[in-house]
Amino acid sequence: MSIPRELYPTEDDLPYEEEILRNTFSLKQWWRYLVARADAPFTKRRVLYERALQALPGSYKIWHAYLRERLELVRNLPINHSLYQALNNTFERALVTMHKMPRIWIMYLVSLTQQKLVTRTRRTFDRALCALPVTQHDRIWEHYLVFVSQRGIPIETSLRVYRRYLKYDPSHIEDLLEFLLNSELWQEAAERLAGVLNDDRFYSIKGKTKHRLWLELCDLLTQHATEISGLNVDAIIRGGIKKFTDEVGRLWTSLADYYIRRKLVEKARDIFEEGMTTVVTVRDFSVIFDAYSQFEESMLALKMEEMSDSEVEDEGSNGEVGAEEDVDEEDDRLNVAKLEKKLKEFWLNDDKDIDLRLARLEHLMDRRPELANSVLLRQNPHNVEQWHRRVKLFEGNPTKQILTFTEAVRTIDPMKAVGKPHTLWVAFAKLYENHKDIANARVIFDKAVQVNYKTVDHLASVWCEWAEMELRHRNFKGALELMRRATAEPTVEVKRRVAADGNEPVQIKLHRSLRLWLLFVDLEESLGSLESTRVVYERILDLRIATPQIIINYAVLLEDHKYFEDAFKVYERGVKIFKYPHVKDIWVTYLSKFVKRYGKSKLERARELFEHAVEQTPADAVKPLYLQYAKLEEDYGLAKRAMRVYDQATKAVPANEKLSMYEIYIARAAEIFGVPRTREIYEQAIESGLPDKDVKVMCLKYAELEKSLGEIDRARALYKHSSQFADPRSDPDFWNKWHEFEVQHGNEDTFREMLRVKRSVSASYSQTHFILPEYLMQKDQMQTLEEAKDMAALERQLAPPENDTKSKEQSRVVGFVSAGVVESNGQKVTGNNEDIELPEESDSEEDDDKVEIALKEVPDAVFGGLIRKRDEGDEAEDDSTAKNKDSDGPLGALERMKRRKQQAS
């Protein structure tokens, strides 16, 4: 056999060939030769590889490179190509010396897997596992499991491989479970999964929890109930129900589904009923109830379909059977088959039970509210509200209501109850009362008052409801007797016994329940006598459980029966017991009743009461008492004492009420003693430390008073004093009032003084510009400009009609107010021609005598009630004196300007 010439070494190969001849077993020389001929055809490179391997059969590097090139050569060829057989032979030759190299085995196994050679591949995998050490088996098993998971591999083969793999690594049992489920091997899958769940040391490498595995097992058991045997499905699922409480509803439905698939319908119904009566969450209940109702509906629909089909069949067979019925009537008794057929047709064994199934479904739907309420009660059996709702569900069925009430009062522990447990006893008794069974209602109430409730108020409510029931049925004596029983204080022996036990029931504290005593008092007032009612009131006071309203009611009761002194004694006890603010109503009622009763006859005692009341009353609540005290003095006492009371009130009330108190004080003083007397009060108010805004208000009122009395200078001084509290930017109303006042009653100097004060006040407040809003600062600037314009307009209006008026106005600086007379061209010109400018003629004394001044008459209110009658002669004399004053007195600035304009015209 001749060798092709292309396989012979070329001239370029001679250096490598010579090196190999000199050193045949050098891996380096062979590898250099192979690298140098990397671009040569594979046939030539194959010869080089074969020569190298013949010289170095144990070289992993050369074998690995050779096998890779052969794998690359067959990559795109069909698997039945002849080169695959050459590749496999090469792998087998390599494994003779490379059987400990896992990479060679993996390359061979992957190639065999792609060739779909099942038996050869399986045996090769087994050879690899036998040849390699155990520490390297995991690299082989990875590809082995991929091989057995392919389609076409016999299930039994794959199963045996997985079982062998679990012996090597038991932690990968989930891979076996997945394979079993994909292969529909339900029996072994269920057994393996149950074993996993029973193994406490199991740890899922796929991150599955025990809960998830339980659910998978339940789904597996229920969906393939007929294909799995040997497992106690009921016990398994019930164990999951006890262990995993957050999926109870799903597990119960899975168990019921298991029995449904095994056609045990009645058992499935029992499971549904058991689940609904044991779950404790509404969500689980809803899951079970929905599944149950859907099951019943499906069963009903299935039965209706079966009936419709059977009716069609019966219509065809009835004609044939009718002719033979009369033939063998005597022989029917001996025919067992016919007897069995008749038994099946008996009504107890009738398959046509649609009405029964429909009634069962309707009954289930009607029970839903009751079942849902049972779930909530299982969550908390001490929930009073849920028991009331349960009783309401059975409305119209007294028997069930009584049974529910009985169960409720037996179940609920008053110390753990959520709500008011006594309401159950009351509703229980009212149920009997509504059905005209008063005797049993009394029995229920008698048992209810013996229960140890959490609070005394609950027990008191039961006693009150019992008494009200007796009242509704006209048993007044019984109601009073009940109240006497309830309010009776336990004996010393009972207290000693309870103290020895250490657990004090609420019945020991019942006699101090205010609710019971209030009802007892009402009953005594309505049904008993005055003496018995007083005994009850005195008992309340002795127990120190009285309220201010009880004190007032007791006193009113005594007043209604003309026991006035006893009533006032009750008031006295009340004001000693209570403090403010609770005693306020008692004091007000006591003082008003005392004044109304005695008036002037016991004035000193009334004064003592008022003094005592205002001493105990705090400042924020003393004002009404002072006003009541002052009215007492005005009506029955002395006016001076009334003024003294008002004066004390202005000092006792808090700062925010002083202004209103002073206003009342001033009004009463003006009415009693006349207006001049109020000056002292105004001055006292201004100096008493009122807030700045109240001082300003008081000064304005004082100024108005002085102006009405003609005291212009005093009024101006008040304006000037109060100006320090009025910022021109934020309080323009004050300055407008002063401006009007000066226009009406002032002159040039006083007006300038007002402007000077305004500027100084504005300057003092300007130091706080940084805290004022921007619009107030702009308003201040605009106001200054407007004042300058007003001054200029006044000057133009009052200036004499001379030719040099324009030059004077031009020389005037806008916004500047001259304080004197300016000479211009040898003539005297007024520096400030304003509305209040005095004319030049007023400088002479002779002209002043000719001016007539109008004076305002002094009001009668100035003299109060001291001068009310005047003689006619005195009136005439006063009128003549007033006329003389009009002709001789000084004239106001505004009046002078008006007369000057009239003379000029």
Side-chain angles (χ1 to χ4, degrees):
M1 184 175 179
S2 61
I3 300 174
R5 292 194 60 84
E6 60 270 12
L7 298 180
Y8 281 96
T10 61
E11 293 182 358
D12 296 336
D13 298 336
L14 292 179
Y16 297 105
E17 292 289 344
E18 292 177 355
E19 291 291 335
I20 291 174
L21 289 175
R22 283 194 292 265
N23 193 356
T24 306
F25 303 102
S26 175
L27 174 63
K28 182 178 180 181
Q29 299 301 329
W30 283 108
W31 190 253
R32 288 175 61 188
Y33 196 1
L34 289 170
V35 172
R37 295 294 169 260
D39 297 332
F42 177 73
T43 55
K44 188 173 182 178
R45 288 178 57 80
R46 181 177 61 82
V47 173
L48 288 176
Y49 274 119
E50 291 292 343
R51 291 172 59 193
L53 290 173
Q54 188 175 4
L56 300 171
S59 176
Y60 171 79
K61 188 173 184 179
I62 296 176
W63 274 115
H64 185 265
Y66 186 25
L67 293 173
R68 284 183 60 186
E69 288 196 20
R70 295 202 73 102
L71 285 172
E72 191 66 27
L73 183 64
V74 301
R75 181 178 298 277
N76 297 321
L77 297 178
I79 60 175
N80 56 357
H81 199 276
S82 60
L83 288 178
Y84 274 103
Q85 183 62 35
L87 174 65
N88 294 339
N89 293 334
T90 305
F91 271 113
E92 290 292 340
R93 287 167 49 206
L95 289 172
V96 173
T97 56
M98 297 289 109
H99 59 277
K100 295 297 183 183
M101 299 300 173
R103 186 61 194 161
I104 304 298
W105 281 108
I106 291 172
M107 292 170 65
Y108 188 21
L109 294 170
V110 170
S111 176
L112 289 175
T113 303
Q114 293 174 354
Q115 296 175 45
K116 307 297 183 183
L117 303 174
V118 178
T119 303
R120 184 172 181 176
T121 305
R122 177 178 59 79
R123 290 176 178 176
T124 305
F125 270 112
D126 293 342
R127 286 169 53 200
L129 291 172
C130 292
L132 293 174
V134 178
T135 57
Q136 295 179 348
H137 281 192
D138 56 339
R139 301 176 66 180
I140 304 300
W141 277 113
E142 180 181 355
H143 299 279
Y144 204 174
L145 295 178
V146 173
F147 163 68
V148 298
S149 300
Q150 291 180 341
R151 289 186 177 183
I153 307 298
I155 296 177
E156 184 64 26
T157 301
S158 301
L159 185 58
R160 289 177 180 273
V161 170
Y162 270 107
R163 288 172 180 169
R164 286 172 56 196
Y165 178 58
L166 287 183
K167 292 180 180 179
Y168 168 72
D169 188 1
S171 63
H172 286 76
I173 191 173
E174 291 175 89
D175 296 333
L176 175 59
L177 291 173
E178 186 177 355
F179 170 76
L180 293 172
L181 294 175
N182 294 333
S183 303
E184 298 183 356
L185 300 175
W186 314 118
Q187 179 68 34
E188 186 171 353
E191 292 175 355
R192 292 278 183 175
L193 190 54
V196 166
L197 291 173
N198 291 329
D199 186 6
D200 295 332
R201 296 175 297 175
F202 172 76
Y203 175 75
S204 175
I205 60 176
K206 294 187 177 181
K208 292 184 179 180
T209 61
K210 283 289 187 73
H211 175 255
R212 184 177 175 183
L213 293 174
W214 265 105
L215 295 180
E216 290 181 0
L217 177 60
C218 293
D219 293 339
L220 180 63
L221 293 174
T222 55
Q223 293 174 7
H224 307 283
T226 58
E227 301 170 10
I228 298 175
S229 61
L231 292 177
N232 190 350
V233 179
D234 191 283
I236 291 173
I237 297 181
R238 287 180 184 274
I241 291 172
K242 294 178 180 179
K243 194 170 184 180
F244 305 104
T245 57
D246 55 342
E247 290 287 348
V248 173
R250 181 178 173 182
L251 292 175
W252 277 114
T253 54
S254 298
L255 183 57
D257 190 22
Y258 168 76
Y259 285 111
I260 292 171
R261 291 178 185 273
R262 302 200 64 172
K263 298 181 180 180
L264 300 175
V265 180
E266 294 300 328
K267 182 66 174 178
R269 287 195 179 97
D270 294 340
I271 294 299
F272 278 124
E273 291 289 341
E274 183 181 358
M276 287 191 300
T277 55
T278 55
V279 294
V280 294
T281 62
V282 178
R283 182 173 64 88
D284 293 333
F285 168 77
S286 300
V287 172
I288 298 175
F289 185 86
D290 293 341
Y292 192 10
S293 59
Q294 188 176 1
F295 162 70
E296 291 291 352
E297 290 173 0
S298 62
M299 293 295 294
L300 180 62
L302 179 63
K303 198 64 179 179
M304 293 179 69
E305 291 179 2
E306 291 178 356
M307 282 192 61
S308 62
D309 295 339
S310 62
E311 287 177 359
V312 174
E313 294 177 358
D314 292 343
E315 288 177 359
S317 60
N318 283 339
E320 299 176 359
V321 177
E324 300 177 357
E325 288 182 354
D326 298 333
V327 179
D328 300 328
E329 290 182 359
E330 296 180 358
D331 297 337
D332 286 348
R333 293 174 294 179
L334 302 176
N335 193 337
V336 178
K338 289 185 177 180
L339 287 175
E340 291 179 352
K341 184 176 181 181
K342 287 184 178 181
L343 287 174
K344 291 182 179 179
E345 294 176 354
F346 190 55
W347 67 274
L348 284 175
N349 199 28
D350 188 9
D351 291 337
K352 300 178 182 180
D353 55 350
I354 293 182
D355 294 338
L356 176 61
R357 296 175 185 241
L358 186 60
R360 185 184 286 128
L361 178 60
E362 292 177 354
H363 180 61
L364 176 63
M365 293 301 176
D366 293 339
R367 288 166 56 210
R368 180 183 174 89
E370 179 185 352
L371 293 172
N373 181 263
S374 299
V375 173
L376 296 174
L377 286 175
R378 281 194 293 274
Q379 290 180 2
N380 183 9
H382 306 290
N383 192 331
V384 177
E385 180 62 27
Q386 293 301 329
W387 282 109
H388 280 294
R389 292 180 182 178
R390 188 174 184 84
V391 171
K392 195 173 182 181
L393 291 175
F394 302 127
E395 191 170 357
N397 190 347
T399 304
K400 277 196 171 185
Q401 285 184 326
I402 292 173
L403 293 176
T404 305
F405 273 124
T406 304
E407 184 182 2
V409 297
R410 287 178 179 175
T411 303
I412 289 180
D413 183 359
M415 298 302 173
K416 301 178 182 178
V418 178
K420 299 178 179 180
H422 71 278
T423 56
L424 285 172
W425 287 101
V426 173
F428 195 4
K430 284 185 177 180
L431 177 63
Y432 281 109
E433 181 186 0
N434 295 334
H435 289 82
K436 311 300 181 183
D437 192 353
I438 307 301
N440 278 327
R442 291 192 179 102
V443 172
I444 297 299
F445 273 122
D446 187 54
K447 292 182 179 180
V449 297
Q450 298 174 14
V451 176
N452 186 18
Y453 298 98
K454 186 184 296 185
T455 63
V456 178
D457 190 59
H458 293 172
L459 180 58
S461 299
V462 175
W463 280 103
C464 292
E465 291 290 343
W466 192 359
E468 289 175 1
M469 184 194 74
E470 298 293 347
L471 292 175
R472 286 193 294 270
H473 293 83
R474 303 293 179 179
N475 187 7
F476 303 122
K477 292 183 179 179
L480 282 173
E481 185 61 31
L482 283 176
M483 288 297 99
R484 293 189 182 96
R485 280 179 55 194
T487 56
E489 186 175 359
T491 61
V492 178
E493 182 63 27
V494 173
K495 290 182 179 180
R496 186 183 300 111
R497 192 182 308 118
V498 169
D501 295 340
N503 186 12
E504 185 179 20
V506 292
Q507 283 78 3
I508 299 298
K509 307 174 185 177
L510 181 64
H511 67 284
R512 297 182 61 85
S513 174
L514 182 60
R515 184 172 183 176
L516 280 177
W517 284 106
L518 289 176
L519 180 59
F520 194 10
V521 163
D522 292 340
L523 292 179
E524 287 291 352
E525 289 185 9
S526 303
L527 307 173
S529 61
L530 175 62
E531 295 301 325
S532 62
T533 307
R534 292 187 65 173
V535 170
V536 175
Y537 273 118
E538 291 295 333
R539 181 63 179 155
I540 293 175
L541 293 175
D542 292 341
L543 291 173
R544 296 182 177 272
I545 58 173
T547 62
Q549 189 59 46
I550 290 178
I551 298 294
I552 295 174
N553 293 342
Y554 187 14
V556 170
L557 174 69
L558 294 175
E559 290 176 8
D560 293 341
H561 290 82
K562 309 302 180 181
Y563 291 90
F564 296 103
E565 285 299 328
D566 292 342
F568 295 145
K569 289 180 181 179
V570 172
Y571 283 125
E572 288 288 346
R573 293 176 67 181
V575 298
K576 290 179 181 178
I577 294 173
F578 298 101
K579 304 297 181 184
Y580 262 88
H582 309 292
V583 77
K584 178 181 178 182
D585 295 334
I586 300 178
W587 271 120
V588 172
T589 307
Y590 182 20
L591 295 174
S592 60
K593 295 283 188 180
F594 189 87
V595 173
K596 182 179 179 182
R597 170 64 181 168
Y598 293 109
K600 194 176 181 180
S601 60
K602 294 187 178 182
L603 185 58
E604 288 300 326
R605 183 179 173 186
R607 287 171 178 166
E608 291 178 359
L609 289 176
F610 274 108
E611 291 292 342
H612 184 55
V614 297
E615 285 178 4
Q616 293 185 346
T617 306
D620 56 348
V622 77
K623 182 178 176 181
L625 292 179
Y626 271 114
L627 294 178
Q628 196 174 357
Y629 188 11
K631 191 166 187 319
L632 170 70
E633 294 292 350
E634 291 180 13
D635 294 342
Y636 305 107
L638 300 176
K640 290 183 179 181
R641 294 186 66 93
M643 293 299 104
R644 191 183 306 156
V645 172
Y646 282 120
D647 183 57
Q648 293 176 1
T650 57
K651 297 175 183 177
V653 296
N656 59 342
E657 294 183 357
K658 281 190 176 184
L659 179 61
S660 59
M661 195 68 231
Y662 270 113
E663 290 175 350
I664 297 172
Y665 186 12
I666 291 169
R668 301 307 301 161
E671 183 178 350
I672 297 173
F673 295 104
V675 176
R677 178 64 184 274
T678 60
R679 284 175 172 163
E680 299 176 1
I681 305 174
Y682 274 115
E683 293 173 0
Q684 178 184 345
I686 294 170
E687 297 174 357
S688 63
L690 287 172
D692 292 346
K693 60 179 182 179
D694 294 341
V695 172
K696 182 182 65 177
V697 172
M698 192 60 68
C699 288
L700 288 176
K701 292 185 177 182
Y702 194 8
E704 290 294 332
L705 172 65
E706 295 293 356
K707 187 170 69 173
S708 65
L709 296 178
E711 296 290 346
I712 304 301
D713 293 336
R714 293 175 64 89
R716 183 177 293 110
L718 287 167
Y719 275 115
K720 186 175 181 180
H721 176 72
S722 59
S723 63
Q724 59 183 323
F725 307 114
D727 186 1
R729 291 180 296 262
S730 60
D731 192 7
D733 295 337
F734 170 81
W735 295 99
N736 291 336
K737 290 181 181 179
W738 195 1
H739 183 278
E740 294 175 1
F741 172 78
E742 292 297 346
V743 169
Q744 294 178 5
H745 304 285
N747 53 31
E748 181 181 7
D749 294 333
T750 58
F751 193 83
R752 287 196 188 110
E753 180 65 16
M754 185 267 291
L755 294 177
R756 184 192 67 77
V757 173
K758 185 176 182 180
R759 284 194 295 272
S760 65
V761 172
S762 179
S764 64
Y765 277 101
S766 65
Q767 297 175 1
T768 59
H769 263 357
F770 60 91
I771 64 172
L772 290 177
E774 185 179 355
Y775 76 94
L776 288 178
M777 299 172 63
Q778 295 177 356
K779 183 178 178 182
D780 184 26
Q781 297 174 1
M782 295 297 295
Q783 186 175 359
T784 305
L785 293 176
E786 289 177 0
E787 291 177 357
K789 292 179 181 179
D790 293 341
M791 295 290 293
L794 288 172
E795 290 175 359
R796 287 195 300 271
Q797 183 178 357
L798 298 177
E802 296 178 357
N803 295 329
D804 56 346
T805 305
K806 294 182 180 180
S807 60
K808 296 175 183 177
E809 291 179 355
Q810 292 175 356
S811 62
R812 184 182 306 278
V813 181
V814 178
F816 175 73
V817 181
S818 177
V821 177
V822 182
E823 292 187 359
S824 178
N825 297 327
Q827 297 181 359
K828 292 183 178 180
V829 181
T830 305
N832 185 10
N833 294 323
E834 295 180 80
D835 187 24
I836 62 170
E837 181 186 3
L838 296 176
E840 294 180 359
E841 292 80 5
S842 64
D843 293 337
S844 61
E845 295 179 0
E846 295 178 358
D847 295 337
D848 291 341
D849 296 337
K850 298 179 181 179
V851 178
E852 295 181 358
I853 299 175
L855 295 179
K856 189 182 293 185
E857 185 177 0
V858 178
D860 293 339
V862 174
F863 305 102
L866 303 178
I867 302 176
R868 295 299 182 186
K869 295 182 180 181
R870 297 182 180 177
D871 298 330
E872 295 181 357
D874 294 338
E875 291 179 358
E877 184 178 353
D878 291 339
D879 292 338
S880 61
T881 304
K883 289 181 180 180
N884 294 332
K885 289 182 179 179
D886 290 341
S887 60
D888 297 336
L891 190 63
L894 185 60
E895 189 66 26
R896 291 199 301 272
M897 287 188 292
K898 290 180 180 179
R899 292 191 180 184
R900 180 181 173 188
K901 289 181 180 180
Q902 292 176 0
Q903 291 176 2
S905 62

